[in-house]
Amino acid sequence: MADQVTKPAVQLSRKDFASEVEPRWCPGCGDYPILAAVQSVLPELGIPRENFVFVSGIGCSSRFPYYMNTYGVHGIHGRAPTLATGIATARPDLQVWVATGDGDALSIGGNHFIHAMRRNVNIRIILFNNRIYGLTKGQYSPTSELGKITKSSPFGVIDRPFNPVSLALGAEATFVARTVDFDRQHMTEVLRRAAHHKGTAFVEVLQNCVVFNEGAYDFLTPRAGGLAYQIRLEHGKPVRFGPKGEKGIVIRGGRAEVVDVEEVGEENLYVHDETLEDPSVHFALSRLTPDGAGPTALGVFRAVRKPTYDELMHSQIAAAQEKLGPGDLERLLRSGETWKVE
């Protein structure tokens, strides 16, 4: 079920969210369309600019806060979800976004990333996935394919790559989606859905790095016949894909399988339900292409409503105050065992 979209209370435009800092990414970088999509979605929300916060870690994507005319925090490597958790918990009136990359989020930041989703902190995480370390000049990342030759893997990558959507679903994030940088309309709609979600909204953007990993997702682009591989998930509709919708998805034994619609019949196809409490089917959809270059599900995998971390925390505080009375910091500091350091 789609999240409710309310009429804006504050009239703003995309230009209102563009800072005076000129974006400095390589010409043709996929970061540009992501920035443009975010700046086009935020005015629709009717939220004042001062109620937005963008948090980032380290990497090309982490320059994002500088280009947004909102509050922003440029943190340290991998710690953006931690900073965002603190902000969202202390100030539930703010809308908090995290801009991160496959290296920043899934390497040194992996622990913070999964726990933010596990806790259902009310933040939106955009993961720019170009399958490479771009800022540090082309080393392999946690999402690089097996066998990939890079500056830090001259004989080929031997690490099995993370599947970010699978990881998010495993952590039971309440909103999980995937989109691509070359489809502005699809990316904007996915980000719009994420913006209206209450809880952790995770969006993976498959994104090109023109310098160090050019063409990583060419197999999905229309010019390379990518319609044969793009699987657009739509809630309540049978999952069909291919230039003429000739292919479909069925769920068998917990696995998602590609079939010919003519052979199995449309009535036997999986009808997508993003509201399922159990994410097992969504997980199966995320694993359609283990080698990372084949039929790929795009769109919203999961969208469910559960209590957020700040809601539960503030409820707990209110219950404690009702039972014990107003807090007294001075009394707390002098209670129990104390000692004096000479």
Side-chain angles (χ1 to χ4, degrees):
M1 181 181 295
D3 300 287
Q4 289 293 321
V5 178
T6 56
K7 186 177 181 179
V10 180
Q11 296 297 322
L12 296 169
S13 69
R14 176 186 166 185
K15 289 183 179 180
D16 292 315
F17 286 93
S19 75
E20 296 180 355
V21 180
E22 181 184 357
R24 294 296 182 92
W25 289 307
C26 300
C29 176
D31 290 7
Y32 287 103
I34 300 173
L35 176 65
V38 170
Q39 289 174 338
S40 67
V41 166
L42 298 192
E44 302 174 6
L45 305 180
I47 300 173
R49 286 178 303 162
E50 60 268 23
N51 282 14
F52 288 98
V53 183
F54 280 80
V55 186
S56 66
I58 298 296
C60 296
S61 62
S62 295
R63 297 173 180 171
F64 211 86
Y66 296 103
Y67 308 143
M68 297 297 301
N69 191 16
T70 63
Y71 283 106
V73 179
H74 190 176
I76 58 177
H77 207 187
R79 270 63 178 186
T82 307
L83 294 167
T85 295
I87 296 168
T89 303
R91 290 288 304 275
D93 57 310
L94 302 179
Q95 183 165 111
V96 184
W97 292 72
V98 171
T100 186
D102 46 301
D104 185 57
L106 302 177
S107 184
I108 193 170
N111 198 40
H112 307 285
F113 174 69
I114 60 174
H115 287 296
M117 293 184 291
R118 177 180 69 87
R119 291 171 175 142
N120 198 30
V121 181
N122 190 27
I123 59 177
R124 291 126 204 91
I125 302 173
I126 309 174
L127 189 146
F128 301 50
N129 185 6
N130 56 19
R131 291 179 170 173
I132 202 77
Y133 278 104
L135 186 68
T136 52
K137 307 300 183 280
Q139 300 88 348
Y140 76 91
S141 85
T143 58
S144 296
E145 313 94 298
L146 280 170
K148 188 173 187 64
I149 304 296
T150 73
K151 291 180 178 179
S152 57
S153 58
F155 299 105
V157 171
I158 58 174
D159 300 0
R160 293 193 176 277
F162 270 131
N163 180 319
V165 168
S166 298
L167 187 63
L169 289 167
E172 297 205 33
T174 52
F175 182 97
V176 180
R178 180 191 285 145
T179 186
V180 287
D181 65 349
F182 55 79
D183 190 332
R184 173 71 177 276
Q185 182 177 352
H186 187 266
M187 178 165 51
T188 301
E189 178 54 33
V190 166
L191 290 172
R192 182 179 293 116
R193 290 284 312 279
H196 285 282
H197 182 74
K198 184 76 170 177
T200 305
F202 170 72
V203 178
E204 177 192 21
V205 183
L206 305 182
Q207 176 227 335
N208 196 34
C209 175
V210 293
V211 176
F212 297 108
N213 202 19
E214 172 70 11
Y217 299 107
D218 269 359
F219 67 95
L220 289 174
T221 60
R223 69 175 181 273
L227 292 179
Y229 290 136
Q230 290 187 27
I231 304 173
R232 299 300 180 99
L233 301 177
E234 296 183 70
H235 180 67
K237 294 185 179 181
V239 180
R240 298 184 65 162
F241 67 102
K244 298 180 180 179
E246 68 276 12
K247 297 292 185 180
I249 299 296
V250 297
I251 305 297
R252 292 173 179 160
R255 295 181 56 193
E257 298 181 10
V258 176
V259 296
D260 292 318
V261 176
E262 189 175 340
E263 291 183 7
V264 303
E266 185 178 58
E267 67 278 8
N268 293 312
L269 298 181
Y270 164 67
V271 176
H272 185 49
D273 186 353
E274 63 189 33
T275 67
L276 292 173
E277 283 291 320
D278 186 337
S280 299
V281 172
H282 306 141
F283 186 85
L285 291 170
S286 75
R287 308 297 298 176
L288 273 166
T289 310
D291 61 0
T296 302
L298 303 172
V300 177
F301 289 75
R302 188 178 197 231
V304 298
R305 179 71 171 98
K306 292 186 177 182
T308 63
Y309 188 76
D310 66 276
E311 289 173 337
L312 293 171
M313 188 195 76
H314 289 293
S315 175
Q316 193 175 65
I317 292 173
Q321 289 178 336
E322 184 178 349
K323 181 179 180 180
L324 304 174
D328 185 338
L329 182 60
E330 183 69 20
R331 181 182 175 187
L332 175 65
L333 292 174
R334 297 183 180 280
S335 64
E337 295 182 3
T338 61
W339 62 92
K340 182 178 181 181
V341 178
E342 297 288 351

